[in-house]
Amino acid sequence: MNVISLQSGSNGNCYFVQAGDVRLLIDAGISAQLARQRLAQFGHEIREVDAILISHDHNDHSRSMGIFHRQFGAPLYVTKKTLLASQAAIRPGRLTDIRHFNAGETFHVRDVQIHTIPTPHDSADGVAFVIEHEDRRLGILSDLGHVFGALREVLLSLDAVIIESNYDRQMLAQGPYPEHLKRRIRGPGGHLSNDESADLVARASMFQRLQWACLCHLSAENNCPERALDTHRQLVGTSLPLHIASRESASDELLV
């Protein structure tokens, strides 16, 4: 499998995964033009995408899903609740090929298995994804709410993971956000901190299946790549490759 983060953060999220001859887009939080241009940098044609998967209804993950679906001609995989909560993202225009799944189910795009994991994030019906092909498993785990049992378990089964490391606790506490927003971010329906992400990755790395981790959805105001990496290195050590999914550009193509 190959994976490219086309952008990751509260300003928009979109990932490209190629597993064998199946090409997937996960989330549609950036413009179609930007997605097309950034994928072309790696020699990929976005109109060859086989499926668009939507994790949840928040605007930074869903705002362009209708445009992606119509312009790129790929079926849209989304839960009914997420679609209902994302009506603004699909106007104007019709959706001609919607394939619903239920949170927690596994479905297939040809020979690729897509496992969905319900998350406690404060969205209508959020999921994280595990992409499985030929015994290789990639997790795309973002907007998670808090650390929950199924999350710990799934990390032990992964060959590679893109995992949210949204905020640094000290930066959030001392930052400019109003208190109600700070409570939301660190609360049970918010995001994972650097410390929480690092603890999960460190535990998974002990089992020696995990090849690399890519930290995603970093906050512009309450985090920075240096802090996220330093926090992970303190717990994970130096043996596991760590990467950062950029808020502003496509990140390096990674192999699973």
Side-chain angles (χ1 to χ4, degrees):
M1 278 190 280
N2 299 357
V3 57
I4 304 167
S5 171
L6 300 181
Q7 186 170 299
S8 179
S10 57
N11 57 333
N13 297 270
C14 185
Y15 306 95
F16 171 80
V17 176
Q18 181 169 355
D21 61 355
V22 174
R23 298 167 179 85
L24 309 171
L25 284 178
I26 292 90
D27 284 338
I30 62 176
S31 72
Q33 180 180 6
L34 204 55
R36 183 187 300 107
Q37 290 173 346
R38 288 183 176 171
L39 199 53
Q41 295 171 11
F42 297 87
H44 296 291
E45 169 53 58
I46 203 162
R47 294 182 186 278
E48 295 178 353
V49 164
D50 298 288
I52 301 162
L53 283 52
I54 303 298
S55 65
H56 65 290
D57 60 282
H58 288 172
N59 203 39
D60 56 328
H61 294 259
S62 68
R63 68 166 62 96
S64 296
M65 67 177 179
I67 297 171
F68 276 25
H69 171 66
R70 290 186 288 270
Q71 288 196 13
F72 306 150
L76 190 64
Y77 289 78
V78 60
T79 74
K80 291 181 179 179
K81 291 180 181 179
T82 293
L83 184 64
L84 185 63
S86 306
Q87 289 303 304
I90 64 175
R91 298 192 182 105
R94 296 176 58 230
L95 301 180
T96 58
D97 191 354
I98 305 171
R99 306 187 186 183
H100 289 302
F101 63 87
N102 294 318
E105 288 183 346
T106 294
F107 60 90
H108 289 78
V109 179
R110 297 210 299 274
D111 63 339
V112 175
Q113 294 183 73
I114 315 293
H115 307 282
T116 68
I117 304 162
T119 67
H121 189 53
D122 56 2
S123 59
D125 195 24
V127 299
F129 293 110
V130 173
I131 316 299
E132 183 172 358
H133 181 251
E134 295 183 347
D135 298 323
R136 312 298 286 174
R137 287 168 57 91
L138 165 69
I140 300 181
L141 314 178
S142 186
D143 296 66
L144 297 168
H146 62 267
V147 177
F148 53 97
L151 182 60
R152 293 188 181 95
E153 293 174 12
V154 77
L155 268 155
L156 304 182
S157 73
L158 300 179
D159 297 285
V161 65
I162 297 175
I163 185 169
E164 78 165 327
S165 188
N166 180 255
Y167 67 95
D168 175 84
R169 288 176 175 169
Q170 183 178 18
M171 290 180 69
L172 177 65
Q174 298 175 354
Y177 280 8
E179 187 57 36
H180 72 88
L181 185 53
K182 292 179 181 181
R183 287 196 299 270
R184 180 253 167 185
I185 291 169
R186 62 179 177 245
H191 293 279
L192 298 195
S193 68
N194 291 339
D195 302 274
E196 291 169 319
S197 173
D199 181 66
L200 287 167
V201 172
R203 290 174 184 271
S205 67
M206 294 172 58
F207 290 82
Q208 299 184 336
R209 177 169 180 168
L210 197 65
Q211 299 174 12
W212 53 258
C214 180
L215 312 182
C216 72
H217 218 303
L218 273 65
S219 169
E221 294 80 12
N222 305 306
N223 208 354
C224 64
E226 294 77 16
R227 287 225 183 184
L229 286 171
D230 182 62
T231 301
H232 281 74
R233 282 286 171 229
Q234 290 179 35
L235 289 181
V236 176
T238 58
S239 59
L240 183 73
L242 295 175
H243 308 273
I244 295 285
S246 172
R247 292 178 53 88
E248 307 299 338
S249 62
S251 302
D252 291 340
E253 188 166 16
L254 301 172
L255 303 179
V256 184

